[in-house]
Amino acid sequence: MTESIRRSGEHEYEGPQDPYSQQHVHSAPVNPEWPPPPPYEPAAATVTAPGAEPARQRTRGPIALLAAVAIVAAAVGGGTAYAFQELTGKDTVASAGTTTAVVPASKRGDVAAIASAVSPSVVEIQGTLDNGSSTGSGVVITSGGEIVTNNHVVSGASSIKVRTSDGKGYTADVVGTDSSKDLALIKLRGASGLSAAALGDSSDVKVGDSVVAIGSPEGLTGTVTSGIVSALDRDVTVSTDESQNQGQGDGGQWPFQFGGRQFNGDTGSSTTTYKAIQTDASLNPGNSGGALIDASGRVIGINSAMYSSSSQASSSSDAGSVGLGFAIPVNTVKSDLAKLRSGSTS
């Protein structure tokens, strides 16, 4: 810090001084390394018994300073603790507190400002499958190239290519998957200095909140749509079958169930159900794995499914959003990260 701060213990006194009182006052250096000890009376001499070790003098130094810093970091939590971790060189997820805004307060809810701030953190994912290809999106969560996406985007892929918003291409490896939550973590090879998204708190999301969705529908990288949260805690059931992937080359649609009905095709015999955020922001094939973002620019969900009628599902050219999209809450993502990073492939 360049700001000069007066430490406690540095005093200025301009009034008359008692010449006799100066005999008992300790003079402190102008900028002491540690605060000066308080004034004290001469201590009585101590006698050490023969053979006994003298008492060790307590030392003040870097250990005490580090302990103090650790206590402060634990107390402030959230964004400040993350900043401390970044200073120490740890590649840590940027988890934004509820008061942390990615866009300025004056731009809250401004779709253009949100898109400008968050688009660099959303990528396009292309997976090569035995029976075609899959197209989806992903959210960068660390500057070193960790990306969260849907399990169905990368499931069964023999190779994965990722393109960032600036057009750079990377090869990615699957770190861990969790088909029960339709989540996957991949890592880019040789990536550094990427823009990591700030993860918000989905427990604060309310029906009617403004949201922005960013993804790569039909391979159109960086597509931005907006809307509101239209419902919460929707039970959405998706397939865990590797043969049914989002946006396959044969025109297949990612199937899911809602309200006891099947949409976009047969979900198969292997399925999983999760609680989802419902939004009317336009989602289309290829948006899966992309970001659902609140008015302050924080990621509150991972887009995962879209509704289309049975007639629309007959071909990808006819399919389109009708204002019923679903996203996995970001708190589910955060609670699953340790499992994904451990290499779990459930």
Side-chain angles (χ1 to χ4, degrees):
M1 295 177 63
T2 58
E3 184 179 356
S4 176
I5 300 176
R6 184 182 305 282
R7 300 172 184 261
S8 59
E10 293 178 9
H11 303 280
E12 290 185 358
Y13 185 74
E14 298 178 356
Q17 298 183 6
D18 182 354
Y20 297 100
S21 65
Q22 295 180 7
Q23 299 175 20
H24 303 289
V25 177
H26 290 269
S27 61
V30 176
N31 290 299
E33 180 66 20
W34 300 100
Y40 63 93
E41 295 297 330
T46 57
V47 179
T48 303
E53 294 184 1
R56 295 182 179 177
Q57 182 180 3
R58 178 179 296 178
T59 60
R60 289 184 173 183
I63 294 178
L65 177 59
L66 290 176
V69 171
I71 292 172
V72 172
V76 296
T80 306
Y82 169 68
F84 177 78
Q85 291 165 342
E86 281 291 279
L87 288 173
T88 57
K90 295 181 179 179
D91 196 15
T92 309
V93 177
S95 183
T98 55
T99 60
T100 303
V102 177
V103 297
S106 61
K107 295 290 186 178
R108 177 180 169 84
D110 186 310
V111 176
I114 295 169
S116 176
V118 186
S119 288
S121 303
V122 182
V123 301
E124 177 188 335
I125 299 175
Q126 294 279 350
T128 300
L129 309 172
D130 291 339
N131 58 344
S133 63
S134 64
T135 301
S137 307
V139 178
V140 178
I141 61 169
T142 63
S143 59
E146 283 187 324
I147 294 172
V148 168
T149 186
N150 288 140
N151 177 62
H152 73 257
V153 170
V154 298
S155 179
S158 57
S159 67
I160 300 171
K161 300 294 183 182
V162 172
R163 183 169 60 174
T164 56
S165 63
D166 58 3
K168 292 182 179 179
Y170 297 88
T171 298
D173 299 305
V174 175
V175 176
T177 59
D178 187 349
S179 60
S180 67
K181 295 181 176 67
D182 195 20
L183 291 172
L185 181 68
I186 64 176
K187 180 73 181 290
L188 304 186
R189 298 179 187 174
S192 63
L194 300 183
S195 177
L199 306 186
D201 185 352
S202 51
S203 67
D204 290 335
V205 176
K206 298 178 178 62
V207 174
D209 284 352
S210 297
V211 290
V212 171
I214 303 179
S216 301
E218 302 292 355
L220 301 175
T221 306
T223 296
V224 177
T225 58
S226 64
I228 63 167
V229 172
S230 53
L232 296 171
D233 297 325
R234 291 299 198 196
D235 286 324
V236 173
T237 301
V238 298
S239 174
T240 58
D241 188 349
E242 289 186 359
S243 66
Q244 301 184 34
N245 290 76
Q246 164 88 17
Q248 288 183 0
D250 60 3
Q253 297 295 300
W254 177 249
F256 74 100
Q257 297 175 354
F258 173 70
R261 299 173 58 195
Q262 292 184 346
F263 299 101
N264 306 345
D266 184 9
T267 57
S269 59
S270 178
T271 61
T272 185
T273 301
Y274 56 82
K275 298 286 186 181
I277 299 171
Q278 180 179 306
T279 178
D280 68 350
S282 179
L283 301 180
N284 290 286
N287 271 113
S288 286
L292 187 68
I293 308 152
D294 69 9
S296 295
R298 301 167 297 198
V299 175
I300 57 169
I302 300 297
N303 299 321
S304 57
M306 54 158 282
Y307 166 85
S308 65
S309 66
S310 57
S311 60
Q312 288 177 319
S314 60
S315 70
S316 62
S317 61
D318 294 332
S321 174
V322 294
L324 287 174
F326 304 93
I328 301 168
V330 75
N331 286 6
T332 301
V333 177
K334 290 191 286 188
S335 66
D336 209 34
L337 269 179
K339 178 181 178 181
L340 295 172
R341 283 172 164 163
S342 71
S344 174
T345 55
S346 61

